[in-house]
Amino acid sequence: MEFALTAEHEEMRRMARNFAEKRIAPTMEEDEKEHRFRAELVKEMADQGFFACIAPEKYGGLEVGHVAACIMTEEIAAVSPSWGLPFNLQMNAIQPVLLAFGTEEQREKHIPPLIAAEKLGCFAITEANSGSDVASMKSQAVETKDGWILNGSKMWISGVPVADTGIIFVYTDREKKHRGISAFMVDMHAEGLEQRAIETKLGLHCAPTGEIIFQDVKLPKDSLVGEQGAGFKICMSMLDNTRLSSAARAVGVARACFDHSVRYANEREQFGTVIGQHQMIQQQLADMYVEHEAARLLVYRAAWIKDQGQRNTLEVSMAKYFSSEAAVRAANEAVKIFGSYGFSSEYPVERFYRDAKSYQIVEGTSNIQRMIIGQYALGIRK
Ligand SMILES: Cc1cc2nc3c(=O)[nH]c(=O)nc-3n(C[C@H](O)[C@H](O)[C@H](O)COP(=O)(O)OP(=O)(O)OC[C@H]3O[C@@H](n4cnc5c(N)ncnc54)[C@H](O)[C@@H]3O)c2cc1C
């Protein structure tokens, strides 16, 4: 079987591009300045079917697949990386986890409101002292006769402090290390749970990020996702999906930086000609051109493998690593091509430069992706 985009994919690209231009772009710069998250915009994205790509019809999904999701994510991120994030929070994190590991009741309860954006989602792995080394987390849930009592905290969680529902990874048996982590669906308005905003971010100003504090939060028995102790495996499977979405956002940024730079290089004149006539600018643009196209193909391949029902961990790590680095390089080059205007918030490349850095960190840093890729190369992972 060969991979090719369908007419349906192209239609989805047009639809997402149109949405980004009409609904996000007009207020983008002001929203960024005000650090404004607009819940109503997530709802509008839901109404377009953006979060319905993966789930079957019986949960309100359209099941058009991961390639379609990546295409639409790229289009939104090319206008605003902040507004690319809801794809992960509403769809890529929780929905595939519940489809693969959840009970029928959990799927029916949680998937439809996420698709419709009636509830805003989040996923929480990271803690203040536990990032790349997931198993070093401290938060824990202790079993009681009615369910579980959750204590601890999570840090750098996208969608906090506005989340309604989340999948949270905590220890249920620390002695067992990786095999002692479990996954829970948590009501983010539960008693004892506090969401706090982190206001000190470099970028992604329209996408809230925050901290969660759990103080004796009571979780019902049916909040456990999958088997007790299966949380690490569930988390890694979830990251295959969230990393893919992050890679698609990075492609959007790399492409946007390229497009803006081409336009500027055809307008800005120095030494009696447009700067695009200077060979060094052509070289910069050539690298940006090749890299964002190559990144996109890596993303499509990883998404396509998933759509065939196959595991894509290696391909996702390659896509995530390459597209994140390509986005940062593209943003860096774009700022240079724009000169002092690249240093100004008057043009979007300054925002892309700040936002792109997030891709080298989130969903596993570039070093962690290289570690995974290297381990596959050596046969340590299979
Ligand atoms: C904007 C934003 C949104 C986020 N959203 C979420 C979210 O929704 N949910 C969530 O759970 N988390 C989220 N995170 C957290 C993110 O996933 C972590 O920051 C990331 O996994 C890295 O962890 P760390 O920051 O603790 O870095 P550390 O793990 O402390 O790493 C520090 C440095 O050491 C390097 N390093 C660490 N271990 C190794 C190794 N073995 N080999 C080589 N180098 C290594 C890293 O690459 C990095 O350069 C978000 C972060 C940001 C910035």
Side-chain angles (χ1 to χ4, degrees):
M1 212 185 310
E2 243 179 70
F3 168 71
L5 291 189
T6 63
E8 195 185 24
H9 287 141
E10 295 302 349
E11 182 47 39
M12 286 173 174
R13 181 187 299 288
R14 266 193 297 280
M15 190 259 288
R17 187 172 289 187
N18 192 38
F19 181 86
E21 280 166 8
K22 297 231 160 70
R23 298 297 304 131
I24 299 177
T27 57
M28 188 63 237
E29 299 311 331
E30 200 194 310
D31 287 344
E32 274 283 318
K33 249 182 243 151
E34 301 293 325
H35 294 205
R36 192 183 295 143
F37 170 74
R38 294 196 281 140
E40 74 281 4
L41 198 55
V42 187
K43 186 81 186 86
E44 282 184 47
M45 291 169 83
D47 294 343
Q48 300 283 316
F50 287 164
F51 313 131
C53 297
I54 297 168
E57 223 173 302
K58 69 170 173 166
Y59 306 114
L62 298 168
E63 232 177 337
V64 288
H66 289 265
V67 172
C70 287
I71 290 170
M72 295 196 288
T73 306
E74 176 192 327
E75 291 305 323
I76 301 296
V79 171
S80 163
S82 282
W83 289 104
L85 257 151
F87 282 94
N88 245 0
L89 306 180
Q90 299 304 118
M91 180 167 65
N92 288 61
I94 298 175
Q95 293 188 38
V97 162
L98 294 183
L99 289 171
F101 302 97
T103 61
E104 190 51 34
E105 290 71 31
Q106 286 172 331
R107 292 175 194 154
E108 282 170 8
K109 180 175 174 192
H110 297 292
I111 296 178
L114 283 168
I115 290 178
E118 282 155 7
K119 288 200 170 170
L120 299 178
C122 73
F123 62 96
I125 313 161
T126 309
E127 298 183 358
N129 293 314
S130 168
S132 305
D133 181 8
V134 170
S136 67
M137 66 171 63
K138 294 273 184 287
S139 300
Q140 62 174 343
V142 174
E143 196 165 9
T144 63
K145 68 176 177 10
D146 312 320
W148 308 82
I149 301 279
L150 174 57
N151 276 291
S153 63
K154 294 285 170 185
M155 189 74 181
W156 291 109
I157 307 306
S158 300
V160 170
V162 296
D164 299 307
T165 186
I167 186 161
I168 314 288
F169 296 86
V170 293
Y171 269 108
T172 47
D173 187 346
R174 200 178 300 282
E175 297 293 303
K176 291 187 178 157
K177 299 199 171 142
H178 293 75
R179 292 198 171 81
I181 294 174
S182 299
F184 293 92
M185 284 304 302
V186 174
D187 171 4
M188 296 295 291
H189 305 296
E191 208 184 320
L193 189 154
E194 192 190 338
Q195 303 187 50
R196 292 182 191 156
I198 297 173
E199 308 278 12
T200 52
K201 285 189 319 204
L202 175 69
L204 296 177
H205 288 321
C206 297
T209 312
E211 186 181 1
I212 317 172
I213 318 286
F214 309 105
Q215 268 183 331
D216 294 328
V217 178
K218 287 195 182 111
L219 303 178
K221 264 202 180 339
D222 63 1
S223 56
L224 177 70
V225 180
E227 307 263 304
Q228 186 179 341
F232 191 79
K233 186 174 105 186
I234 295 174
C235 181
M236 293 304 129
S237 134
M238 182 185 82
L239 288 171
D240 283 349
N241 296 312
T242 56
R243 278 175 186 157
L244 181 59
S245 191
S246 165
R249 297 200 301 276
V251 171
V253 169
R255 184 194 94 203
C257 288
F258 170 72
D259 288 346
H260 285 289
S261 299
V262 166
R263 219 168 297 137
Y264 192 74
N266 276 325
E267 285 166 7
R268 174 77 173 172
E269 290 187 12
Q270 289 296 287
F271 296 97
T273 180
V274 289
I275 59 168
Q277 286 297 325
H278 302 310
Q279 285 188 350
M280 272 189 272
I281 297 283
Q282 291 168 8
Q283 182 190 17
Q284 285 171 281
L285 289 173
D287 289 348
M288 291 162 83
Y289 201 173
V290 174
E291 288 196 12
H292 91 262
E293 295 240 346
R296 183 186 291 124
L297 288 174
L298 285 173
V299 166
Y300 285 171
R301 180 180 66 160
W304 182 78
I305 292 171
K306 189 78 185 186
D307 284 341
Q308 310 312 302
Q310 308 290 321
R311 189 166 172 198
N312 61 354
T313 306
L314 169 62
E315 291 79 8
V316 164
S317 278
M318 286 183 170
K320 160 75 165 65
Y321 168 55
F322 189 78
S323 57
S324 302
E325 297 299 318
V328 171
R329 278 194 294 268
N332 192 32
E333 293 309 309
V335 169
K336 286 193 238 168
I337 289 170
F338 274 73
S340 37
Y341 293 102
F343 201 64
S344 152
S345 55
E346 214 178 298
Y347 287 91
V349 294
E350 172 267 350
R351 172 166 58 83
F352 286 123
Y353 183 76
R354 288 183 288 104
D355 288 354
K357 288 302 289 179
S358 70
Y359 303 127
Q360 294 175 316
I361 303 166
V362 298
E363 328 289 346
T365 64
S366 284
N367 274 6
I368 294 301
Q369 305 312 319
R370 281 194 282 200
M371 196 172 87
I372 294 169
I373 296 161
Q375 288 173 352
Y376 269 103
L378 289 162
I380 299 166
R381 272 182 191 242
K382 290 193 174 62

